[in-house]
Amino acid sequence: MYMRKWNLVCRWKFVLSTAHLLTPLDHSVPQPMFCQDHPCEGYALDWSHTVEGNLVVGNCRGDISVWQAAEAGFIVKAERWQHPCRGGASVEDIQWSPTEPEVFACAATDGTVAFWDVRQSNCALQLQAHDADVNVLSWNRTVDHMLASGGDDGIVAVWDLRMLQQGHRAPFSRFQYHQGPITSVDWNPHEGFELASCSEDNQVSGRDTGGWGEQCMLCAPTLMLPTTCLYV
């Protein structure tokens, strides 16, 4: 696996200007500003929203590292960690905290979601989040104590980090509408509790998680609340 950094500023300036009307289009292949070799394939990376240039990367071997962008490329800012997974599970997605500059979360194919603090050498917290691979994460940037995860089990789980800090290990709510693995989840940046998800069942759905959703796992496990599905 190669990690590449690209500079597209010049090409965008050309497209947005009127120069391209008089100048032949440059069809040359752009070259990356920086290329870093990695030991194996990887799917997970995320830019920090609180520290400029910080990039966290995870690969299929469970390795996690934090890089700092520099003019010459990237430098390793933090030591490499090994996801505390079973059976050599792969890191599938990774997300920085929107407010805490040293904290990030990652999802793995052993069904776990782990939280890390770059100032510590060990995982700060690990959850058994799904009964199958956890494919995707989304950390709510409006309501920063909410994290969503989606897995191969077709479930979207919403985690309240305040409750996790108090020792609760159940999701705040969980949604099981989709009939296939979850391939993406994303919070609406303008509506703090609105969450969209898509799946291999060829459907996109949106829900208002502020009403606890279909099932509040902090209440009685059998208490089914009214659905808050906004669209399918």
Side-chain angles (χ1 to χ4, degrees), residues 116-129:
W116 299 83
D117 187 319
V118 298
R119 297 163 294 189
Q120 302 175 8
S121 58
N122 296 318
C123 173
L125 175 65
Q126 186 178 20
L127 303 170
Q128 188 61 47

Side-chain angles (χ1 to χ4, degrees), residues 54-88:
N54 266 15
L55 181 70
V56 63
V57 180
N59 65 28
C60 292
R61 204 171 61 179
D63 298 325
I64 304 169
S65 54
V66 176
W67 298 77
Q68 173 67 48
E71 289 187 8
F74 286 90
I75 58 175
V76 178
K77 183 176 181 180
E79 63 182 85
R80 176 170 290 179
W81 299 278
Q82 182 73 30
H83 182 77
C85 50
R86 302 186 302 272

